[in-house]
Amino acid sequence: DNDKTTIPEGHELIHEGSITMLYPKSENSVFYNPVQVQNRDLSVLMLGMYAERRMERQWISKTRKEVRKEMLQKQHEEKEKEEGKEDTKKKKTKETKEERKARNAQFESDLEARVAERKSTVNFTSLASQSSQSPDGMSVFEA
């Protein structure tokens, strides 16, 4: 190695993936099994996937709230415009239960379509990776 790190007596450097660990050579030291590299790699991969899925669920929840708020605001504004026009005309009859259900179903369908449209532009792998950075810039999912 070109590394000028001084290794204390009774220790060794172990390299695994992008990580280098200072490990005591003593038989009484913490157990390190080099054969388990594949299991550790799999664990890191699963944690990364979990972080990505969690980030995606949080993003969808937040975005649904934002889009719903925008849609309701627009709906409210349109209703106020219609009511202003209706003052000079006779009032509409009350909405039936079926009409209300159909309107709500259409609203939810439009909401899901808008969230899906925004979701298609987001890279959750990148977001999850960025959120897993430690203060020193290392990813907690690097192996």
Side-chain angles (χ1 to χ4, degrees):
D1 271 40
N2 293 336
D3 189 9
K4 295 181 181 182
T5 304
T6 304
I7 302 171
E9 188 177 324
H11 289 77
E12 64 182 312
L13 287 180
I14 297 175
H15 302 280
E16 187 174 308
S18 63
I19 305 298
T20 301
M21 299 174 281
L22 183 62
Y23 187 75
K25 289 183 181 179
S26 166
E27 288 185 29
N28 297 326
S29 65
V30 175
F31 180 71
Y32 170 77
N33 184 350
V35 176
Q36 294 298 317
V37 169
Q38 195 171 24
N39 283 343
R40 286 188 290 276
D41 289 348
L42 184 59
S43 294
V44 168
L45 176 66
M46 294 305 294
L47 286 170
M49 289 176 64
Y50 173 78
E52 182 179 334
R53 298 301 188 284
R54 184 171 183 261
M55 179 69 66
E56 183 175 352
R57 285 191 311 269
Q58 289 174 339
W59 183 92
I60 288 171
S61 177
K62 179 180 174 241
T63 302
R64 282 186 100 250
K65 288 176 186 175
E66 291 170 358
V67 171
R68 179 182 299 274
K69 185 177 178 180
E70 292 167 9
M71 290 174 66
L72 288 172
Q73 180 65 35
K74 185 176 179 182
Q75 202 176 56
H76 179 70
E77 289 168 3
E78 289 172 359
K79 187 176 179 182
E80 283 181 343
K81 285 180 186 177
E82 285 180 24
E83 286 176 355
K85 292 176 186 175
E86 287 180 7
D87 285 341
T88 56
K89 301 176 185 176
K90 74 176 197 179
K91 293 282 182 183
K92 284 187 176 178
T93 59
K94 261 194 160 179
E95 183 178 55
T96 66
K97 190 175 188 178
E98 289 76 23
E99 290 171 328
R100 190 169 51 252
K101 282 183 179 180
R103 186 173 46 81
N104 287 340
Q106 183 61 51
F107 181 88
E108 287 299 318
S109 176
D110 291 348
L111 174 64
E112 292 306 317
R114 289 180 187 189
V115 170
E117 184 179 313
R118 289 185 186 185
K119 180 181 170 189
S120 69
T121 65
V122 178
N123 181 341
F124 293 103
T125 303
S126 175
L127 282 177
S129 177
Q130 290 170 10
S131 72
S132 67
Q133 296 290 317
S134 64
D136 64 1
M138 291 290 293
S139 172
V140 295
F141 298 118
E142 287 180 7

